[in-house]
Amino acid sequence: MSEDLLAAYDEHLRGTGVPAQGAWIEQDGPLLRVVGEHRGFVTGPRDLSGHDVDALIAAQTAFFGARGEAVEWKARGHDLPCDLPERLRAAGFVAEPTETVVIARIADLPAAAPAPEGVVIRRVGGEAIPAIVEMESQVWGRDCGFIGDHLAGGLAAADDRLAIFTAEAAGRVVAAGWAALREDGVFASLWGGSTLQEWRGRGIYRALVAVRARLAAERGYRYLQVDASADSRPILERLGFTAVTTTTPYVWSPPA
């Protein structure tokens, strides 16, 4: 089963989502890159063995370096050549935390999980972004304004393909998550899911997953995908998600 899910992942999730308004996608040989967001983004096919990998890496640092921008290369655990991570590190890329790619068939997921008492989950628009950024910044202990820019840009570019949900209690946003509804109509990707410390362990994360799964099902999507943290993975696996690979962002930043 996991092999089928991994094959579906490689077929449908090697591209990019909708770029924010003002950003664009361009091809560089076998690679796709997103330009014009808070940092560049590069993704490619599973197997680059037939290409000059070092030259491809150098081309990305040259391109984004000329723009004075950082760039993320999204590497998966089953990518080829096997020494791709070593090549990226040799070129000055730094690994950020590795996450596990988990996938579920929407039809196999359990019935909707209700929100806990005192918590209201609702779909929101751009008006809720400042409160989401405030919550995310508190959770992560740093300025998460880039998340707000990403959400606002996504809504401006294609508001029918980005569904943002908040969990609100006592008049404040205590958690949030969003779904990227990909153009092919096969995969919906779930992002966010951060919850304030004092509201964890009450089922809010599960309820946010459920409401996004229901929306994706209504739109006719077949699969949900999450790049899951170590905290999220056990919850998602209990809901019926299957781990298929890992993903690690390798980030290069131009010299100061």
Side-chain angles (χ1 to χ4, degrees), residues 92-113:
F93 285 76
V94 177
E96 293 190 342
T98 295
E99 295 179 314
T100 302
V101 177
V102 297
I103 296 174
R105 289 181 172 85
I106 294 175
D108 295 341
L109 292 174

Side-chain angles (χ1 to χ4, degrees), residues 3-16 32 43-46 76 78 103 182 184 186-187 222-223 244:
E3 290 79 7
D4 293 341
L5 295 176
L6 182 58
Y9 176 90
D10 283 331
E11 179 180 356
H12 295 282
L13 292 179
R14 287 285 180 169
T16 69
L32 289 176
T43 183
R46 175 180 182 178
R76 288 82 168 182
H78 64 299
I103 296 174
R182 302 183 72 91
D184 63 10
V186 177
F187 271 91
R222 294 169 54 196
Y223 301 103
V244 298

Side-chain angles (χ1 to χ4, degrees), residues 129-146:
I129 290 176
I132 293 172
V133 170
E134 181 181 354
M135 180 274 298
E136 295 278 357
S137 298
Q138 185 173 340
V139 168
W140 297 105
R142 60 189 174 104
D143 181 3
C144 289
F146 67 92

Side-chain angles (χ1 to χ4, degrees), residues 23 39 72 130-131 136 150 158 190 202 207 211-212 233 239 255:
R39 70 184 183 193
E72 171 192 336
E136 295 278 357
H150 172 75
L190 306 187
R202 307 189 192 195
V211 71
R212 288 176 288 170
R233 177 180 175 177
L239 291 174

Side-chain angles (χ1 to χ4, degrees), residues 22-175:
W24 66 94
I25 301 169
E26 58 187 36
Q27 189 99 28
D28 183 15
L31 304 177
L32 289 176
R33 62 188 177 205
V34 180
V35 186
E37 296 190 335
H38 81 284
R39 70 184 183 193
F41 178 81
V42 172
T43 183
R46 175 180 182 178
D47 192 354
L48 290 172
S49 299
H51 301 271
D52 186 337
V53 176
D54 292 329
L56 287 172
I57 294 171
Q60 307 319 305
T61 58
F63 177 85
F64 286 101
R67 293 176 56 86
E69 296 176 358
V71 57
E72 171 192 336
W73 184 303
K74 186 178 180 70
R76 288 82 168 182
H78 64 299
D79 282 350
L80 297 173
C82 294
D83 65 350
L84 177 61
E86 287 75 18
R87 292 171 183 262
L88 288 168
R89 285 194 290 267
F93 285 76
V94 177
E96 293 190 342
T98 295
E99 295 179 314
T100 302
V101 177
V102 297
I103 296 174
R105 289 181 172 85
I106 294 175
D108 295 341
L109 292 174
E117 185 176 356
V119 176
V120 175
I121 292 179
R122 64 187 181 97
R123 186 172 178 179
V124 298
E127 78 287 343
I129 290 176
I132 293 172
V133 170
E134 181 181 354
M135 180 274 298
E136 295 278 357
S137 298
Q138 185 173 340
V139 168
W140 297 105
R142 60 189 174 104
D143 181 3
C144 289
F146 67 92
I147 292 177
D149 294 341
H150 172 75
L151 293 176
L155 289 174
D159 62 0
D160 61 327
R161 302 255 305 277
L162 178 63
I164 308 171
F165 292 87
T166 56
E168 300 172 18
R172 66 188 297 214
V173 171
V174 299

Side-chain angles (χ1 to χ4, degrees), residues 217-229:
E218 292 169 353
R219 298 281 190 91
Y221 285 80
R222 294 169 54 196
Y223 301 103
L224 292 182
Q225 170 263 328
V226 184
D227 289 352
S229 67

